[in-house]
């Protein structure tokens, strides 16, 4: 596998935006090379209660997924509803405690700042027509900026403490028998 990923997290007056794109070239022994391109654009209210999502995935240039919709929660730690417009009209009930992605990132940072080493929450991202999946996070010790690091550490973001975090993503409808095996893992 080879490829590239682009991720931009932005701020508007009333919310957070995410523009995430990736392209992968996968080589399978059975079917040869496959090109996968994905674009996910989202908007989430700053209070973490409203969320809009648009994702398009192409496989060898053909549309594989085209997902559009929006979701809302009835309050902090309360449930809500996700409504999909594409690929079909569908409504899902979101359980109490579900977070949207930016709210999850902010909660993860709060736990890291508090010195916590583990966090597990249900997160709805709209990347598939399914309910919220579980994300378990292991948070490493705080890393301070290296004052002796070579430039260009002029970026203000790089002047703040950080943490190594390992995330395990579990599917929305995982059973007890496969609860130990995440769909995928990410370390950053």
């Amino acid at each position: 596998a080879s490829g590239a990923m682009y991720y931009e997290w932005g701020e508007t007056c009333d919310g957070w935006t995410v523009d995430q794109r990736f392209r992968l070239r996968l080589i399978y022994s059975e079917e040869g090379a496959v090109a996968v391109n994905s674009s996910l654009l989202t908007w989430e209210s700053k209070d973490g209660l409203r969320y809009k999502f648009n994702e398009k995935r192409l496989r060898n240039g053909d549309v594989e997924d085209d997902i559009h919709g929006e979701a809302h929660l009835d309050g902090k730690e309360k449930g809500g509803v996700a409504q999909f417009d594409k690929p079909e009209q569908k409504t899902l009930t979101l359980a109490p405690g579900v977070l949207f992605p930016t709210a999850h990132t902010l909660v993860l940072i709060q736990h890291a700042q508090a010195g916590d080493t583990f966090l597990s929450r249900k997160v709805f991202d709209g990347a598939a027509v399914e309910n919220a999946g579980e994300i378990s996070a292991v948070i490493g010790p705080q890393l301070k900026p290296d004052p002796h690091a070579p430039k260009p550490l002029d970026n203000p973001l790089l002047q703040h403490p950080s943490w190594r975090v390992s995330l395990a993503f579990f599917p929305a409808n995982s059973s007890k028998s496969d609860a130990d095996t995440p769909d995928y893992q990410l370390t950053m």
Side-chain angles (χ1 to χ4, degrees):
S2 63
M5 181 180 212
Y6 168 84
Y7 189 91
E8 181 179 337
W9 188 17
E11 182 177 12
T12 65
C13 293
D14 58 350
W16 303 102
T17 60
V18 170
D19 180 358
Q20 177 182 323
R21 293 180 243 162
F22 70 81
R23 60 180 164 71
L24 292 172
R25 180 174 161 81
L26 306 168
I27 300 176
Y28 296 98
S29 60
E30 308 85 38
E31 61 181 299
V34 175
V36 177
N37 293 294
S38 175
S39 172
L40 175 64
L41 302 171
T42 68
W43 175 89
E44 183 176 332
S45 64
K46 287 190 175 176
D47 62 8
L49 300 179
R50 292 176 293 136
Y51 182 65
K52 296 178 183 180
F53 51 93
N54 295 300
E55 173 156 34
K56 185 174 267 189
R57 270 189 299 269
L58 304 176
R59 184 177 184 96
N60 292 331
D62 297 325
V63 175
E64 184 175 61
D65 286 309
D66 191 5
I67 301 170
H68 295 251
E70 54 187 82
H72 74 272
L73 300 172
D74 296 328
K76 296 276 185 202
E77 299 299 322
K78 295 185 178 179
V81 172
Q83 296 177 306
F84 292 85
D85 299 324
K86 282 184 175 182
E88 60 187 324
Q89 297 282 324
K90 185 170 184 174
T91 301
L92 299 174
T93 300
L94 301 175
V98 165
L99 297 172
F100 299 132
T102 297
H104 178 256
T105 299
L106 296 174
V107 166
L108 188 57
I109 292 169
Q110 290 169 352
H111 279 262
Q113 289 173 330
D116 297 335
T117 57
F118 182 77
L119 174 70
S120 186
R121 294 295 297 262
K122 293 270 190 188
V123 178
F124 176 82
D125 66 6
V129 184
E130 60 185 36
N131 214 312
E134 189 83 21
I135 301 177
S136 294
V138 175
I139 306 166
Q142 181 177 343
L143 304 170
K144 298 195 183 324
D146 181 357
H148 305 294
K151 298 294 178 187
L153 284 183
D154 296 337
N155 183 324
L157 182 63
L158 300 177
Q159 301 305 317
H160 293 277
S162 62
W163 298 264
R164 283 196 178 90
V165 179
S166 292
L167 302 172
F169 295 79
F170 296 89
N173 300 318
S174 60
S175 66
K176 296 258 188 222
S177 63
D178 58 32
D180 292 338
T181 307
D183 273 352
Y184 62 97
Q185 298 177 54
L186 173 67
T187 299
M188 57 187 160

